[in-house]
């Protein structure tokens, strides 16, 4: 065999797995067809967050006036933002490649396809490996409506030549709401069209309500309970026909309607790798139906987040080559939505927890200190979901500035099984918004199994 391990895909999951396995002394090869660092670095988390930051600067300039600054918001230079973003991404691509090279991984800049269970065709070259890891990620989809090809998906949004003046975003998962904040913040007339009554299905109900209010206040035009029926071109304009029989005329249509794993064309059948619902099926050790082939990250379509992908890559490498068998625990994974304002959340929502038994809810909503002077109408919301029987904090949710930074720390507390009493005996840091999480004294309500799912 040419390699002890061959990794298909140089994204978050694959790079971590290859690098750690090589560090354990394995002979490792990796193939990447497009860009080192994969989705997160090139067309995901990283450029997205730069664009969110760009949008936030506009509001920060407005807010600064309340603090005595004589400043006015000028025009935004989209091309300058994209050039700065591309420069930083090129630097990150180089770092990923160097990390692999320094670890002694053999690099293939090519597409890999299975020939049989131990053989791959990598850009025309045959390679054999004792074990193979599939880390090919996923890609965005479009709805099956007439004219869907006229719209863009998130991959395209990072390379637009200019910021559209009017944009319709379809879908209110985290990518949809994040881009709504970006485009609205950069000055576009932004419409968010979604099937549900509230955005962010699956998140805590109070947070969903709070986000809808905050987005509307931030200038996003919300179209709940609505789906697009078709898209048509009228000169330069794109006309989106909606289920409420209205037609939206915009410069761009953005489908944030879901993602599917990259399995097409891999010839998984030749290797005996089973799939279900378009994703590779894995066991608790991330092994596929072909025991020596593993699948990690978004290609398994379970919890599609970068830290999960890297943790899985690391665990597989440690288990196979580091003599440290271990599994990734997907319970209590903290996560963020970089909407404006952002969300941080860990653990169970009120509805999820209430299905297991009675829960005590502690909820607070207040104007953060910054906006007492800025004059911006924006509330921060914090919520703890506490098991009435054990006093354990089952979920912590926040909508408001710095929420992702704050909830990362709470993730440790929830993972460690902290009780509400532990939160209460923790001294706050003053003056912060975060201190509210340890001073939530008044119970808002008790919820039980009767509350409907989000
Ligand atoms: C717009 C957007 C924003 C996001 N924001 C966040 C966020 O804020 N936080 C967060 O945690 N997650 C975020 N994510 C999710 C995150 O990007 C993914 O969970 C993560 O990138 C998954 O890593 P992966 O290694 O499984 O797949 P990927 O990063 O997609 O990597 C797969 C790689 O495999 C390559 N490849 C595919 N097929 C082949 C083949 N046959 N041969 C060789 N190479 C191949 C691809 O080119 C790609 O580089 C975001 C995603 C998107 C789209």
């Amino acid at each position: 065999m040419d390699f002890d391990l061959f990794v298909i895909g140089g994204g978050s999951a694959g790079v971590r797995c290859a690098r750690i396995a090589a560090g354990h002394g394995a002979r490792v090869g990796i193939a990447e067809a497009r860009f080192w660092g994969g989705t997160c670095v090139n067309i995901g988390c990283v450029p997205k967050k730069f664009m969110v930051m760009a949008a936030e600067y506009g509001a920060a300039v407005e807010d600064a006036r309340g603090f005595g600054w004589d400043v006015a918001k000028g025009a935004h230079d989209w091309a300058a933002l994209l050039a700065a973003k591309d420069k930083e991404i090129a630097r990150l691509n180089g770092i990923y490649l160097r990390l692999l090279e320094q670890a002694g991984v053999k690099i293939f800049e090519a597409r890999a396809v299975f020939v049989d269970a131990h053989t791959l065709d990598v850009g025309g070259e045959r390679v054999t490996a004792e074990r193979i890891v599939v880390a090919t990620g996923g890609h965005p989809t479009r709805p099956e409506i007439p004219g869907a090809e006229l719209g863009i998906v998130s991959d395209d949004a990072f390379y637009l030549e200019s910021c559209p003046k009017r944009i319709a975003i379809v879908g209110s998962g985290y990518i949809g709401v994040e881009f709504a904040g970006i485009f609205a913040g950069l000055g576009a007339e932004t419409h968010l069209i979604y099937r549900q009554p509230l955005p962010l299905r699956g998140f805590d109900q109070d947070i969903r309500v709070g986000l809808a209010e905050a987005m509307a206040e931030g200038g996003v035009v919300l179209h709940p309970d609505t789906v697009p029926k078709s898209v048509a071109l009228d000169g330069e304009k794109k006309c989106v026909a909606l289920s409420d029989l209205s037609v939206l005329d915009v410069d761009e249509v953005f489908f944030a309607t879901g993602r599917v794993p990259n399995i097409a064309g891999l010839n998984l059948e030749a290797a005996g790798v089973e799939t279900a619902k378009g994703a590779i099926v894995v066991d608790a050790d991330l092994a596929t139906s072909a025991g020596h082939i593993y699948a990690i990250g978004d290609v398994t379509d379970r919890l599609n987040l970068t830290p999960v992908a890297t943790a899985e890559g690391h665990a597989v490498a440690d288990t196979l080559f580091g003599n440290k068998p271990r599994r990734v625990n997907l319970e209590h994974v903290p996560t963020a939505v970089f909407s404006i304002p952002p969300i941080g959340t860990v653990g169970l929502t009120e509805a999820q927890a209430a299905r297991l038994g009675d829960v005590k809810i502690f909820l607070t909503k207040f104007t953060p200190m910054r906006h007492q002077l800025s004059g911006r109408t924006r509330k921060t919301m914090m919520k703890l979901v506490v098991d009435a029987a054990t006093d354990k904090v089952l979920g912590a949710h926040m909508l408001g500035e710095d929420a992702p930074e704050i909830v990362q720390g709470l993730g440790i507390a929830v993972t460690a099984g902290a009780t509400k009493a532990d939160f209460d005996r923790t001294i706050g840091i003053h003056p912060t918004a975060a201190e509210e999480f340890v001073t939530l004294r008044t119970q808002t309500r008790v919820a039980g199994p009767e509350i409907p799912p989000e």
Side-chain angles (χ1 to χ4, degrees), residues 9 11-13 32-33 38-39 45 48 112 135 137 174 259 297-298 304-307:
S12 309
E32 168 52 48
T39 303
C45 337
K48 181 267 308 275
Y174 79 91
R259 293 177 62 80
D298 284 12
N304 297 338
L305 295 168
T306 287

Side-chain angles (χ1 to χ4, degrees), residues 62 78 112 267 287 306 318 331 343:
E62 289 164 0
W78 174 267
N267 200 16
T306 287
D318 279 354
E331 240 186 309
I343 293 167

